[in-house]
Amino acid sequence: MSKYDVIVLGTGPGGYVTAIRASQLGLKTAVVEKESLGGVCLNWGCIPTKALLKSAQVFEYLKHAEDYGLKVENADKDFAAVVKRSRGVAEGMSKGVQFLLKKNKIDVIEGYGKIKPGKKVDVDGKEYSADHIIIATGARSRELPSLPQDGKTVIGYREAMTLPEQPKKMIVVGSGAIGVEFASFYNSMGTEVTIVEYMPNVVPVEDEDVSKQFGRSMKKAGIKVMTNSSVEKVEKTKDGVKATVKTKKGEETLEADIVLSAVGIKTNIENIGLEDVGIVVDRDKIIVNDWYQTNMPGYYAIGDVTKGPALAHVASAEGITCVEKIAGIHVEAIDYSNIPGCTYATPEIASVGMTEKQAKEAGYELKIGKFPFSASGKASASGAKDGFVKVIFDAKYGEWLGCHMIGAGVTDMIAEAVLGRKLETTGHEVLKTIHPHPTMSEAVMEAVADAYDEVIHL
């Protein structure tokens, strides 16, 4: 039996980052992986979807070349080539993880891993032991009883990334990040897309102003948006599917080639030995403390299988915190109120902290500022004037409570707000921080200026 200091189950952005940090700290480390290194994020999620969306963005530029004083005749796309490029990007990233694990002298154990009592892991009949076993098995597409996935006419995100042919009509159920990113991609490619969302607004976890703006942008792009609606049943037809949608006005029937179910995720905690070891689970989440220890000594869990936000950067941060604690380093518990969220549709969405509604419900007196990209020189020059930056401050102490952005490139801008909040920056400090001109990031400073009645460019 091979003996390690740390064994990590899963090599997604939680698992492989955890393993590398453990190795850096001098711990003999192994990872167990049943599929491709990099997990869902690198192979079927974060990375390949961004490759698809980049192709869609370039295609949009080609279609609107005349807006920039350019001429492109007969702009067309090769759907299969777009998918192939996306898969190539994913493959390259997976090979990158393989290189990093080898560089850090981490053993890769291929196969299906199950934890066992006595700090052991069984991988397809072969046993390994470790002082510390970290579960990072991630999640998969959740299935609704009314919307069972067959992988052909009713699909999840994995199939949506590798369809052999582009559908003419698509119904997307759910308007979280996964749903709207695929809706954005397929719409840009020329598919007729309808989004069905149960809540009153699309991207319902976002600030209401952002949700409403995004809904307008979707409709402007030609996407049909049905809110306060739910898919009750889906029937296969000769040509595709027929979906019965319950709306406030009654039932409506939609026809399409394919339905994409994007109604959230389900954790991968079945058949990994949790019951055998006696690890406590609440619904489909493993219960852990601030250091990701389960109720059983020597067993830990990070990422989507725990109660934190199911985001790649959260899983990485949790894994690093977990192994640094194991190595005896003094670490701070993660502040889950300062986790950025990003959606990479067109336009992009990025946010951190409280929404206006949450801040009001918490009893704060607020200073709120908003700066539209229509007033930004860089946005005008770039042809990307849709959207805005919204900032929320505590009027009494100047604490930066929340920041919400919608527009081109905002996923690359949100880190300013995350860092500012981490350092307990006040509104006046942001306002007196000189931002470069012309940039999209100026909108942050301008929004803060608006909150404090000092805005110049509005």
Side-chain angles (χ1 to χ4, degrees):
M1 185 191 297
S2 299
K3 177 75 163 58
Y4 295 91
D5 296 317
V6 173
I7 294 178
V8 183
L9 262 69
T11 64
Y16 85 78
V17 168
T18 301
I20 290 171
R21 185 67 185 125
S23 181
Q24 288 175 344
L25 294 167
L27 301 170
K28 186 183 178 188
T29 306
V31 293
V32 180
E33 178 54 62
K34 67 182 176 67
E35 283 189 61
S36 303
L37 293 173
V40 166
C41 179
L42 265 66
N43 294 283
W44 299 101
C46 326
I47 304 303
T49 53
K50 305 312 161 279
L52 292 175
L53 287 162
K54 186 63 185 179
S55 291
Q57 184 188 51
V58 172
F59 190 42
E60 287 288 351
Y61 276 140
L62 292 174
K63 289 189 288 183
H64 296 95
E66 285 191 13
D67 295 347
Y68 298 88
L70 304 171
K71 286 188 178 180
V72 176
E73 292 182 9
N74 304 318
D76 204 357
K77 84 280 181 184
D78 180 340
F79 186 76
V82 168
V83 170
K84 185 180 178 183
R85 175 183 179 271
S86 169
R87 300 316 309 154
V89 170
E91 265 179 57
M93 294 300 293
S94 184
K95 285 176 182 173
V97 173
Q98 184 179 13
F99 165 77
L100 289 172
L101 293 174
K102 186 176 181 181
K103 174 189 168 188
N104 286 279
K105 299 179 173 58
I106 296 163
D107 289 347
V108 177
I109 304 166
E110 295 180 4
Y112 192 94
K114 291 181 74 170
I115 60 173
K116 297 181 71 177
K119 299 182 186 176
K120 293 174 187 172
V121 177
D122 178 283
V123 183
D124 297 334
K126 189 173 180 182
E127 274 194 1
Y128 303 84
S129 69
D131 295 327
H132 309 278
I133 295 169
I134 302 172
I135 301 163
T137 47
R140 63 187 184 276
S141 179
R142 185 163 71 94
E143 289 193 48
L144 292 177
S146 62
L147 208 58
Q149 297 176 22
D150 62 8
K152 292 177 182 175
T153 52
V154 181
I155 62 172
Y157 59 82
R158 288 180 78 128
E159 294 86 4
M161 249 174 281
T162 55
L163 288 178
E165 291 180 358
Q166 181 186 344
K168 290 186 175 67
K169 290 185 179 181
M170 173 183 273
I171 299 166
V172 178
V173 184
S175 70
I178 293 172
V180 298
E181 285 179 14
F182 277 116
S184 194
F185 166 70
Y186 278 100
N187 175 67
S188 291
M189 289 287 108
T191 298
E192 188 181 312
V193 177
T194 300
I195 294 176
V196 179
E197 171 55 55
Y198 182 76
M199 300 297 282
N201 292 315
V202 287
V203 285
V205 301
E206 300 295 340
D207 185 89
E208 196 172 317
D209 285 348
V210 169
S211 294
K212 288 178 177 177
Q213 172 67 47
F214 190 76
R216 289 192 293 270
S217 295
M218 290 278 100
K219 289 172 185 174
K220 184 179 170 185
I223 295 171
K224 184 180 178 182
V225 178
M226 300 175 70
T227 52
N228 291 306
S229 303
S230 59
V231 174
E232 298 299 296
K233 66 176 180 178
V234 173
E235 302 170 73
K236 291 181 187 177
T237 64
K238 192 178 104 178
D239 300 318
V241 289
K242 190 182 286 185
T244 303
V245 181
K246 184 180 177 184
T247 73
K248 275 191 168 181
K249 296 177 182 176
E251 287 192 346
E252 190 174 326
T253 302
L254 302 179
E255 292 187 9
D257 301 309
I258 209 158
V259 174
L260 167 60
S261 178
V263 292
I265 58 168
K266 173 81 176 71
T267 58
N268 296 321
I269 60 171
E270 308 94 337
N271 304 314
I272 61 168
L274 296 179
E275 302 85 356
D276 299 336
V277 175
I279 289 173
V280 174
V281 173
D282 180 18
R283 294 180 190 168
D284 70 339
K285 301 282 188 175
I286 298 171
I287 302 300
V288 295
N289 64 11
D290 286 347
W291 316 116
Y292 310 98
Q293 298 162 328
T294 69
N295 61 303
M296 300 302 290
Y299 295 86
Y300 309 76
I302 63 153
D304 294 359
V305 296
T306 67
K307 283 195 169 180
L311 300 168
H313 44 282
V314 172
S316 298
E318 288 176 347
I320 290 169
T321 300
C322 178
V323 291
E324 287 185 347
K325 186 70 172 177
I326 286 169
I329 294 173
H330 174 72
V331 288
E332 290 181 12
I334 289 173
D335 176 6
Y336 286 94
S337 71
N338 199 33
I339 302 289
C342 295
T343 301
Y344 299 84
T346 302
E348 292 182 355
I349 299 170
S351 60
V352 66
M354 293 182 178
T355 63
E356 181 179 345
K357 183 182 177 186
Q358 289 167 341
K360 283 178 178 174
E361 288 173 350
Y364 288 100
E365 184 187 338
L366 305 178
K367 281 189 178 292
I368 295 173
K370 192 190 275 190
F371 189 80
F373 284 121
S374 58
S376 160
K378 177 66 181 293
S380 290
S382 302
K385 296 194 289 183
D386 276 0
F388 57 82
V389 172
K390 178 179 178 178
V391 293
I392 303 165
F393 288 93
D394 169 27
K396 190 174 182 181
Y397 298 110
E399 181 187 356
W400 199 348
L401 299 175
C403 185
H404 307 275
M405 309 176 175
I406 177 168
V410 297
T411 56
D412 294 315
M413 287 166 50
I414 194 65
E416 175 179 352
V418 181
L419 181 61
R421 282 167 43 79
K422 173 71 174 172
L423 298 176
E424 299 182 355
T425 296
T426 65
H428 285 294
E429 288 173 329
V430 179
L431 192 52
K432 297 306 178 186
T433 300
I434 298 172
H435 287 61
H437 175 77
T439 60
M440 300 291 279
S441 65
E442 282 177 292
V444 177
M445 178 186 70
E446 297 278 14
V448 176
D450 184 46
Y452 285 89
D453 298 319
E454 296 181 32
V455 69
I456 289 172
H457 292 101
L458 278 182

